[in-house]
Amino acid sequence: MYQVERTVPVNEPCKSYLSRHDVWTGLVMKANNALPFVPQMQKCEVVENGDGWLVRDILLNGVPLRERVTFE
């Protein structure tokens, strides 16, 4: 099992302002369909979801994977 996390600065000077709600909405949108955000991904299909999580089948660089995404 792999665990991946990343921190990205938001609202740097001279950039558009994003509210906390805007950022969260974008992250949930990416979790449900990462295809527009990850060029190496050929498939992203949510197969199960619950309160605060989802499971998706993806195809990344031709390799089929199943991911569980937890919203924190």
Side-chain angles (χ1 to χ4, degrees):
M1 179 170 87
Y2 295 97
Q3 183 172 338
V4 179
E5 60 184 69
R6 182 173 178 196
T7 302
V8 178
V10 177
N11 296 327
E12 294 182 17
C14 302
K15 302 273 181 166
S16 298
Y17 177 80
L18 296 173
S19 70
R20 185 181 191 102
H21 175 76
D22 294 336
V23 173
W24 186 255
T25 299
L27 290 171
V28 171
M29 184 174 67
K30 182 181 178 206
N32 279 283
N33 180 16
L35 292 175
F37 306 96
V38 184
Q40 304 84 356
M41 192 177 288
Q42 297 85 37
K43 172 187 169 187
C44 182
E45 179 183 341
V46 175
V47 294
E48 191 177 348
N49 58 10
D51 188 26
W53 60 271
L54 63 82
V55 175
R56 64 187 185 185
D57 287 341
I58 67 167
L59 187 62
L60 186 64
N61 291 324
V63 178
L65 300 165
R66 177 162 280 188
E67 295 182 319
R68 179 181 173 100
V69 178
T70 305
F71 304 114
E72 295 183 357

